[in-house]
Amino acid sequence: MKNIWIVGVGEPLPVDGINERLHRCGKQTEFLSKDNNVKWITSDFNHSKKINRFNKDTIHNLNKYELHILKTIPYKKNISLIRFFSNFIFSIKLFFYLIKIAKKNVPDVIFCSFPTIENAFVVVIFCKIYKIKSIVDVRDAWPEIFYSFINKKFYYLYKIIFLFSELITKLSFKHCDILMSISPYMLSWAQNYSSRSQVKMKNDRYMYFSYKNNLNMKKNNDKFLISHVGNLSHRVELETVIKAAQKIEKYNKNIEFYICGRGELYDYFKSLAKNSKNIIFTGWINERKIQEILSKSSLGIVPYASSFDFKMGIPNKVSEYLSFSLPILNCIDGHLSKIISDNSIGLNYKNKDIEDLEKKIINLYEDKEKFKIFTNNSKNLFLKNFDEERELLKFKELINFI
């Protein structure tokens, strides 16, 4: 039995409500707590809803683990100065909090999700001081991804602004004991970005976002439902989906689109689809309702821009779609598109190409044999690479190894 601390922010928490859909840190915490002493240290700020949960530091004893929630400065936009300030202040508070709770019980290992940049740096420093093993799980290409959102005329100015962020990112990646990531390409980027030593790279791992097996929940449905589950931000190319849906509605009333989730562009996207009866916006819904919708769905859609980071990884909703044996419609030109093509689990369409998406949807709707093959292949790929129980066992082995 090990003492394990998990540091991860920005994810749903079990205290957020009944049937809350936990993400990577939550699942790892619950799984490891079966036979280890686990503390999950996180933020009071609900990233999806942009609100503070309790507005104070709290500790919750949940089944077999402790959830430590630290008060955080709120922010309204995902990319903003106040968010960077919030992250920085939280990391300082985190460092001193780790010192405080270490007086009672020093952990054997600390697992830290990345981002944020500052949290990972603080955890690696703390682990070096206390001679504790550290694992950094790279899920996003911060700070490099920020350069894709800026005016190119100010590139060198932003390089100066992010110089400190780049430095501590490289130090965190280079000096943690094990570097993890969500795909082989993201892991390779992190290793190369930090000039990580060959000796340390031998123990590094990648583990895809996994999901629990929902294959037996699949239900028949007269309608052909295409579902998207996720945060509705500026990174989602939902205009393309809406316009393709509007074209399809004119000649096919049996195809419907479910958009599940909220976000900063929720009202904008909903206004674009206000006259479309075949597009349903559910708003924020809990895990049980998501399962209900996906169990009746025919396809899962991944409508994201082919940005630097998305090309290297696989969005977590992909494993969720596959857990219901749903074929995938995808426009990210990268690792995911190759997986889809190589395993015949769906179709790739071109970014912002309304006609191409419309064509691919109709193709899968009309070609029943191809749809059946893709559905079966999705089921098999899920069991092979994305089954939650299997991936969590691999993670447990990694914890025991370190």
Side-chain angles (χ1 to χ4, degrees), residues 175-222:
H175 294 290
C176 65
D177 292 289
I178 290 181
L179 195 59
M180 270 183 62
S181 194
I182 58 173
S183 78
Y185 296 99
M186 186 75 82
L187 177 60
S188 179
W189 168 79
Q191 291 169 330
N192 294 329
Y193 185 70
S194 60
S195 301
R196 189 164 167 83
S197 71
Q198 292 292 326
V199 174
K200 285 194 171 185
M201 284 169 60
K202 291 179 181 179
N203 294 325
D204 294 344
R205 302 283 191 276
Y206 74 87
M207 294 181 188
Y208 290 124
F209 284 118
S210 58
Y211 210 79
K212 64 184 178 184
N213 191 325
N214 292 302
L215 298 173
N216 293 329
M217 292 184 67
K218 192 68 179 164
K219 300 175 183 176
N220 294 324
N221 190 2
D222 293 334

Side-chain angles (χ1 to χ4, degrees), residues 15-226:
V15 295
D16 288 342
I18 299 173
N19 294 317
E20 186 58 55
R21 190 171 57 134
L22 298 181
H23 291 181
R24 192 150 158 128
C25 281
K27 293 174 182 179
Q28 290 166 337
T29 299
E30 292 199 338
F31 188 80
L32 291 174
S33 67
K34 294 176 182 178
D35 46 17
N36 295 281
N37 295 319
V38 182
K39 289 181 174 65
W40 179 7
I41 301 135
T42 187
S43 163
D44 179 54
F45 186 65
N46 187 315
H47 176 72
S48 297
K49 297 181 180 180
K50 299 292 186 291
I51 58 172
N52 285 91
R53 293 176 171 92
F54 303 104
N55 270 311
K56 62 180 180 179
D57 297 348
T58 56
I59 299 176
H60 305 260
N61 290 300
L62 303 173
N63 296 324
K64 296 182 179 179
Y65 66 92
E66 292 180 4
L67 178 64
H68 295 240
I69 301 177
L70 306 184
K71 185 179 177 181
T72 316
I73 297 172
Y75 52 85
K76 293 296 183 184
K77 294 183 178 180
N78 289 345
I79 300 178
S80 63
L81 288 175
I82 189 65
R83 184 181 184 187
F84 290 117
F85 181 70
S86 175
N87 291 345
F88 178 72
I89 296 300
F90 180 84
S91 68
I92 294 174
K93 183 173 185 176
L94 173 66
F95 182 71
F96 288 104
Y97 189 78
L98 295 179
I99 293 173
K100 176 184 174 182
I101 59 177
K103 292 177 181 178
K104 295 182 179 179
N105 189 8
V106 176
D108 299 300
V109 58
I110 301 182
F111 171 91
C112 182
S113 63
F114 177 98
T116 66
I117 294 170
E118 297 84 1
N119 287 355
F121 184 60
V122 159
V123 164
V124 172
I125 289 177
F126 178 85
C127 288
K128 292 299 180 185
I129 294 171
Y130 282 78
K131 295 181 172 54
I132 299 165
K133 298 295 185 181
S134 60
I135 302 173
V136 173
D137 185 21
V138 183
R139 307 178 191 180
D140 228 328
W142 285 24
E144 289 298 299
I145 187 57
F146 299 142
Y147 297 122
S148 62
F149 302 128
I150 64 173
N151 188 321
K152 300 306 177 186
K153 292 189 296 184
F154 303 109
Y155 175 79
Y156 291 104
L157 175 61
Y158 280 96
K159 284 290 287 185
I160 295 171
I161 293 172
F162 289 125
L163 190 62
F164 179 69
S165 294
E166 288 187 16
L167 175 63
I168 63 174
T169 296
K170 290 175 181 178
L171 289 173
S172 300
F173 291 175
K174 187 172 185 175
H175 294 290
C176 65
D177 292 289
I178 290 181
L179 195 59
M180 270 183 62
S181 194
I182 58 173
S183 78
Y185 296 99
M186 186 75 82
L187 177 60
S188 179
W189 168 79
Q191 291 169 330
N192 294 329
Y193 185 70
S194 60
S195 301
R196 189 164 167 83
S197 71
Q198 292 292 326
V199 174
K200 285 194 171 185
M201 284 169 60
K202 291 179 181 179
N203 294 325
D204 294 344
R205 302 283 191 276
Y206 74 87
M207 294 181 188
Y208 290 124
F209 284 118
S210 58
Y211 210 79
K212 64 184 178 184
N213 191 325
N214 292 302
L215 298 173
N216 293 329
M217 292 184 67
K218 192 68 179 164
K219 300 175 183 176
N220 294 324
N221 190 2
D222 293 334
K223 292 285 186 179
F224 192 84
L225 301 187
I226 301 170

